[in-house]
Amino acid sequence: GAMLSELMDLSRLEAGQDTLNISGFDAGELLRELIQGVQPLAENKGLLIQGDGPVSLPVQGDRLKVQRIAQN
């Protein structure tokens, strides 16, 4: 399902059929949001999701694609 979709996205990107939307965003904030989003599911299974890193990490890139990579 999701992995196949990611592979198809990567194939389109490598073939030049998909475009990157490069902009500035805070990768530290993005990762905190992802962790907070999955924490309730992890707690239900008795797991703890923890991320350590800088509070702020400004980067240039495609936020949606970075988000998808981190989710996988």
Side-chain angles (χ1 to χ4, degrees):
M3 185 174 281
L4 179 58
S5 177
E6 294 300 316
L7 288 173
M8 296 299 291
D9 287 349
L10 179 59
S11 295
R12 284 193 300 271
L13 183 60
E14 289 177 344
Q17 298 172 344
D18 194 9
T19 57
L20 289 171
N21 296 313
I22 305 296
S23 63
F25 68 96
D26 190 327
E29 180 181 316
L30 172 63
L31 292 174
R32 274 192 312 281
E33 289 172 4
L34 290 171
I35 290 168
Q36 289 172 355
V38 298
Q39 188 60 46
L41 298 171
E43 287 176 358
N44 285 341
K45 295 183 178 192
L47 301 172
L48 172 66
I49 303 293
Q50 182 176 341
D52 294 320
V55 173
S56 179
L57 182 59
V59 297
Q60 292 284 323
D62 188 316
R63 187 183 195 281
L64 181 58
K65 288 185 175 46
V66 171
Q67 180 178 346
R68 287 179 182 166
I69 290 167
Q71 285 174 325
N72 286 330

